[in-house]
Amino acid sequence: DAKTTQPTSMDCAEGRAANLPCNHSTISGNEYVYWYRQIHSQGPQYIIHGLKNNETNEMASLIITEDRKSSTLILPHATLRDTAVYYCIVRVFGNEKLTFGTGTRLTIIP
Amino acid sequence: GAGVSQSPRYKVAKRGQDVALRCDPISGHVSLFWYQQALGQGPEFLTYFQNEAQLDKSGLPSDRFFAERPEGSVSTLKIQRTQQEDSAVYLCASSLTRDRDEKLFFGSGTQLSVL
């Protein structure tokens, strides 16, 4: 499985953009990058995923570098409800399961 | 309901007791997953079903752990002779298909405490 590396924790001011980095230097060409988040006492929640191109949805944007060795999740206008642990996951081809790491604990500061 | 439902929400068991944890996936979802999450850690994969077939049970930590999904919908995770190290949150997730770009929907989990 391609491993991911994320900072343990980050802070972001409310209303600012939160940029969460992820390194996945051993990613294969047909592996997707997924982001999930887990708010306290809840199960993980899907945010976004991508293969090569940048992606945007109602929750966030995903920027993947051209060599695909790293990516950044962007929450454009962070709110207090965005405080959570954010997991960057590479999904192995032919393997249905998601392999979680320890993620980044994002705290939004009022 | 619209989401994945798990019951009970909390379970306290005495060491050596058997427990059964239930998962109701989203209606029509083919794939079902069980994860174990220890305090302060990310979820760890336990097992995976496609309909009623258990295709991957590589994450089950011991033969005390058993999962089933007999009719391809509701699933039960059973832990026999519980030990203190089994204390964790047990998460269930489902997805519509088995495609690798399909997203998983998680329940809120069952928090198991073994005393």
Side-chain angles (χ1 to χ4, degrees):
Chain A
D1 293 8
K3 293 185 178 178
T4 62
T5 305
Q6 300 178 252
T8 302
S9 63
M10 293 180 63
D11 293 340
C12 178
E14 186 179 16
R16 305 297 295 268
N19 296 275
L20 291 91
C22 179
N23 286 320
H24 32 78
S25 58
T26 60
I27 192 170
S28 298
N30 52 12
E31 290 176 326
Y32 288 76
V33 179
Y34 282 78
W35 284 84
Y36 280 75
R37 73 180 182 184
Q38 188 171 23
I39 295 169
H40 183 62
S41 296
Q42 297 182 21
Q45 175 192 24
Y46 168 83
I47 301 173
I48 199 167
H49 74 279
L51 181 62
K52 295 180 181 178
N53 300 321
N54 298 337
E55 302 287 343
T56 295
N57 63 20
E58 66 279 3
M59 290 183 68
S61 294
L62 174 61
I63 308 299
I64 302 174
T65 57
E66 192 168 343
D67 64 7
R68 302 187 70 241
K69 293 184 177 182
S70 65
S71 60
T72 301
L73 178 74
I74 301 172
L75 308 178
H77 305 287
T79 72
L80 298 179
R81 286 175 291 185
D82 292 321
T83 292
V85 177
Y86 287 76
Y87 296 98
C88 170
I89 300 163
V90 172
R91 195 166 193 180
V92 178
F93 177 74
N95 190 345
E96 292 79 8
K97 67 187 181 188
L98 296 174
T99 301
F100 290 81
T102 52
T104 296
R105 182 171 298 277
L106 175 68
T107 302
I108 306 302
I109 310 297
Chain B
V4 177
S5 178
Q6 292 188 247
S7 60
R9 185 73 176 90
Y10 301 94
K11 177 68 178 178
V12 178
K14 291 183 179 179
R15 190 170 50 187
Q17 238 179 349
D18 296 349
V19 298
L21 312 179
R22 178 187 169 104
C23 173
D24 284 81
I26 295 172
S27 178
H29 276 198
V30 169
S31 298
L32 185 144
F33 304 79
W34 283 98
Y35 282 81
Q36 179 190 58
Q37 186 170 25
L39 189 64
Q41 303 297 312
E44 295 273 351
F45 171 81
L46 293 177
T47 187
Y48 158 69
F49 290 86
Q50 184 182 341
N51 296 307
E52 69 279 1
Q54 189 175 18
L55 299 185
D56 187 346
K57 51 183 181 179
S58 61
L60 296 177
S62 77
D63 59 7
R64 296 186 297 103
F65 287 71
F66 172 77
E68 60 183 5
R69 194 186 185 198
E71 297 179 357
S73 56
V74 172
S75 178
T76 303
L77 177 67
K78 297 178 179 178
I79 308 173
Q80 297 177 324
R81 304 180 303 281
T82 53
Q83 304 294 316
Q84 284 188 320
E85 61 263 28
D86 299 334
S87 295
V89 175
Y90 291 85
L91 295 162
C92 177
S94 68
S95 68
L96 184 58
T97 72
R98 63 183 297 272
D99 292 343
R100 66 178 184 274
D101 61 345
E102 185 61 60
K103 56 190 177 187
L104 270 60
F105 295 85
F106 283 82
S108 294
T110 293
Q111 184 169 331
L112 174 65
S113 299
V114 181
L115 306 179

